[in-house]
Amino acid sequence: MGEWIDFSRWPECPAMERPGLVFEVRNGQGQMMLTRCEVPLPMPFDWTSAPVRFRVIEEPKPRHSTPIPPPRG
């Protein structure tokens, strides 16, 4: 994983993009989101504090969900 970078440098994210990598962004309250580079970054509706840092990480592997059970009867 990459080192934490101050969010003031977010406009530089296009130069950091690589296949298989995403950005982990954290706000002042410790909430986290994974995202691709978007300038300006759209904020999640439930974030009440601004982002303070980000880092480049490997994109998580997709997970299979549990199948939906068939209807009863």
Side-chain angles (χ1 to χ4, degrees):
M1 286 195 221
E3 296 294 318
W4 288 105
I5 302 168
D6 188 84
F7 195 76
S8 64
R9 295 185 53 200
W10 182 252
E12 300 172 26
C13 70
M16 299 176 205
E17 282 190 301
R18 301 286 183 274
L21 300 177
V22 293
F23 296 93
E24 179 180 1
V25 180
R26 292 205 180 247
N27 70 4
Q29 294 177 319
Q31 293 172 299
M32 181 270 297
M33 68 183 256
L34 298 179
T35 185
R36 304 250 182 244
C37 178
E38 290 186 58
V39 179
L41 181 65
M43 291 295 109
F45 73 93
D46 61 343
W47 278 28
T48 56
S49 71
V52 292
R53 60 187 180 164
F54 70 98
R55 65 180 173 179
V56 180
I57 63 168
E58 278 189 45
E59 185 172 15
K61 302 286 184 222
R63 298 181 312 188
H64 289 281
S65 61
T66 306
I68 298 174
R72 286 192 234 173

